[in-house]
Amino acid sequence: MQTKTRRLIQPIWNTLDAYFSPYSATGLLLCVSGGSDSRALMEAVAHWPGRFERIYVASVDHATRSETPFEASAVCARAKALGFDSHRLTLLPSEKKDEASLRQRRYDAIWQLAQELGVSAIATAHTQDDQAESFVMDLMGLGGGPEGAGMLAISPPFEKGGQGGFRIIRPLLNFSRAYLIAVLTALNVNDYFVDPTNLKGEGRRVQVRDFLALHQAPKPRLALLAEKRRLDMDALKTLSEDLVSIEPDQVKVRLPANISESIKFQALKIGLSKFLPYNDNRSAGQVLAQIAHMDSEKKTFDISGCKISVCNQQATFSLHGFSSN
């Protein structure tokens, strides 16, 4: 490898030293779609001086286009050529082909493979561009991170499939897509795939991506705002947790008059998520904000399949009746 190329890739290697090295014993699984971002991750890891044996590659065939079986197979063939143990995963046909459903099914398949391989972490190729796009998606009401909060480079451990301690690692969050393409060019890699739906403007994220390209938005700045928003949200959640208590068949949230509306709002969101942990509660924000703004007024609300009783600076989430406490 030429010195110029080595210097270009070195920032990624430095990140891998920090994020991947702790998993040298337990191993990790690279998620590679075949697009420029994930191919850059796989190629960089292949040349990484700190590369260890237990690094696997998974490529998912979503079965949404006629080309997807070939693309997943091509990724696995390239991974094998680079010395990785590769696995092609095929999703079963489903009527639900929206982005959220496909993402959930993809992660379910990947986590199942991770358990079979005995690894406790998966690595994705989310970039600085993805952070910026998610931030704008939330602003436009099209999804994205919760309230614009950015993704974590290393997720906290969470349980999946009855096992605990799994993590998602995103080592490329501080790198732009343009930089990653430059890395691929330096490595003489030009056979990465371009999803045709990206060219047709299909899907919410693609539409936001096209919007940002049209307006030359400063993506590093947007990504920084997303990260700041995540830190702010973490702080608010920490201050709000103590206001929430779980009781049999109900959840109670204290709403003291001497705390800010933003903390009350976060406490109400936590309370609703604890009461209805499997619901998409994003549409409840307006009502919860109204409750957080209330004084000591006694009132009841019906939202997201549950009833909320507000009385004496307390909100009670329940399914049957209302609490008068």
Side-chain angles (χ1 to χ4, degrees), residues 25-142:
T26 57
L28 56 84
L29 179 62
L30 303 182
C31 304
V32 184
S33 67
S36 59
D37 302 343
S38 61
R39 277 295 300 277
L41 176 61
M42 183 172 71
E43 300 288 338
V45 174
H47 293 88
W48 174 39
R51 174 179 171 177
F52 47 86
E53 183 177 354
R54 295 198 65 199
I55 299 180
Y56 308 92
V57 170
S59 188
V60 179
D61 172 12
H62 294 81
T64 53
R65 295 180 286 110
S66 59
E67 301 89 350
T68 58
F70 165 77
E71 292 172 356
S73 296
V75 167
C76 290
R78 176 58 179 169
K80 184 177 181 180
L82 292 171
F84 294 110
D85 181 3
S86 62
H87 301 263
R88 172 184 161 182
L89 305 174
T90 302
L91 301 185
L92 296 176
S94 173
E95 294 182 358
K96 294 184 177 181
K97 291 183 171 59
D98 59 283
E99 296 173 41
S101 297
L102 286 173
R103 180 172 57 250
Q104 184 59 56
R105 293 170 60 211
R106 177 172 66 247
Y107 273 108
D108 287 344
I110 290 170
W111 280 121
Q112 182 177 345
L113 174 61
Q115 291 180 39
E116 294 172 0
L117 294 173
V119 304
S120 58
I122 66 173
T124 66
H126 290 100
T127 66
Q128 187 180 77
D129 296 62
D130 292 314
Q131 287 280 54
E133 292 160 6
S134 294
F135 183 77
V136 175
M137 286 176 72
D138 181 74
L139 292 178
M140 299 175 70
L142 298 175

Side-chain angles (χ1 to χ4, degrees), residues 16 31 43 69 71 80 84 89 104 146 149-150 154 167 213 236 243 264 269 271 290 298 302 313 320:
L16 298 179
C31 304
E43 300 288 338
E71 292 172 356
K80 184 177 181 180
F84 294 110
L89 305 174
Q104 184 59 56
I154 303 178
R167 292 182 184 271
L236 282 173
L243 300 178
K264 293 179 185 178
K269 285 181 60 180
Q290 179 183 349
K298 184 175 181 179
D302 195 339
Q313 298 181 357
H320 305 289

Side-chain angles (χ1 to χ4, degrees), residues 189-206:
V189 175
N190 55 18
D191 59 344
Y192 52 87
F193 302 118
V194 177
D195 189 334
T197 58
N198 292 344
L199 303 177
K200 297 177 183 177
E202 298 177 4
R204 294 178 175 180
R205 180 172 292 276
V206 176

Side-chain angles (χ1 to χ4, degrees), residues 236-254:
L236 282 173
K237 289 177 181 177
T238 299
L239 292 171
S240 305
E241 284 282 0
D242 290 342
L243 300 178
V244 182
S245 59
I246 302 176
E247 301 182 5
D249 300 322
Q250 64 182 15
V251 172
K252 294 183 178 181
V253 179
R254 293 186 295 110

Side-chain angles (χ1 to χ4, degrees), residues 7 26 62 64 77 114 137 148 158 175 177 192 239 244 262 275 282 289 291 294 311 313 316:
R7 288 175 177 171
T26 57
H62 294 81
T64 53
M137 286 176 72
F158 62 94
F175 301 106
R177 186 166 293 124
Y192 52 87
L239 292 171
V244 182
S262 60
F275 190 72
R282 286 176 292 184
I291 296 174
M294 290 173 58
C311 183
Q313 298 181 357
T316 303

